[in-house]
């Protein structure tokens, strides 16, 4: 069965860095769009970053320039390097996978109707 398992969350101070990882299994990883989403307290889930099977990336406006998404198709792994973290980045971060389609990755990031989701990992940034 499909599994997405996030790791790397934790607590950091304002301006700090974290690296999230997602281990994927149960599907043809290299064919899928992969993404990171987050849900901040009292807010709806939102797209943070996504990467297509072709390696093209897209980022949410609030994280562009601070976060970097990468994928390793040999390890079936997804990463999110987060730098210059701010208290407003505090959220549960979810790894997600979506089947191939004709949609560009930028549009994929705007939707939350992805096929598979991980359980999430908490990121807390203190001021």
């Amino acid at each position: 069965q499909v599994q997405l398992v996030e790791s790397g969350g934790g607590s950091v101070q304002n301006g700090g860095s974290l690296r999230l990882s997602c281990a994927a299994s149960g599907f043809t990883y290299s064919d899928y769009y992969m993404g990171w989403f987050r849900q901040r307290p009292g807010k709806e889930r939102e797209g943070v970053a996504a990467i297509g099977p072709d390696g093209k990336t897209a980022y949410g406006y609030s994280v562009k320039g601070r976060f970097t998404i990468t994928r390793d198709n040999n390890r079936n792994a997804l990463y999110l390097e987060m730098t210059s973290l701010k208290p407003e980045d505090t959220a549960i971060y979810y790894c997600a996978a979506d089947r191939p389609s004709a949609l560009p990755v930028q549009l994929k990031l705007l939707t939350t109707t992805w096929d598979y989701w991980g359980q999430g990992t908490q990121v807390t940034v203190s001021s």
Side-chain angles (χ1 to χ4, degrees):
Q1 73 276 22
V2 172
Q3 279 195 313
L4 297 172
V5 180
E6 303 96 337
S7 60
S11 297
V12 295
Q13 291 195 325
N14 190 18
S17 300
L18 278 176
R19 187 191 197 212
L20 303 183
S21 300
C22 173
S25 61
F27 61 100
T28 307
Y29 179 79
S30 59
D31 288 348
Y32 274 61
Y33 290 86
M34 297 299 298
W36 289 98
F37 292 77
R38 69 185 181 187
Q39 189 155 16
R40 293 183 279 183
K43 304 284 188 182
E44 293 189 353
R45 195 171 294 190
E46 62 178 350
V48 174
I51 184 166
D54 58 2
K56 290 184 178 178
T57 58
Y59 294 91
Y61 178 79
S62 63
V63 307
K64 196 174 289 188
R66 299 188 297 122
F67 291 10
T68 303
I69 186 171
T70 56
R71 66 190 297 164
D72 185 339
N73 289 341
N74 291 323
R75 297 176 184 265
N76 285 6
L78 181 73
Y79 305 100
L80 185 69
E81 193 76 40
M82 304 186 293
T83 63
S84 301
L85 282 161
K86 306 174 183 180
E88 51 264 42
D89 294 317
T90 294
I92 300 174
Y93 284 73
Y94 298 91
C95 173
D98 204 25
R99 70 191 69 189
S101 78
L103 279 179
V105 66
Q106 292 85 351
L107 292 184
K108 283 282 193 183
L109 191 60
L110 297 177
T111 73
T112 56
T113 55
W114 286 44
D115 288 334
Y116 306 118
W117 293 86
Q119 296 283 72
T121 185
Q122 177 71 46
V123 171
T124 303
V125 185
S126 58
S127 57

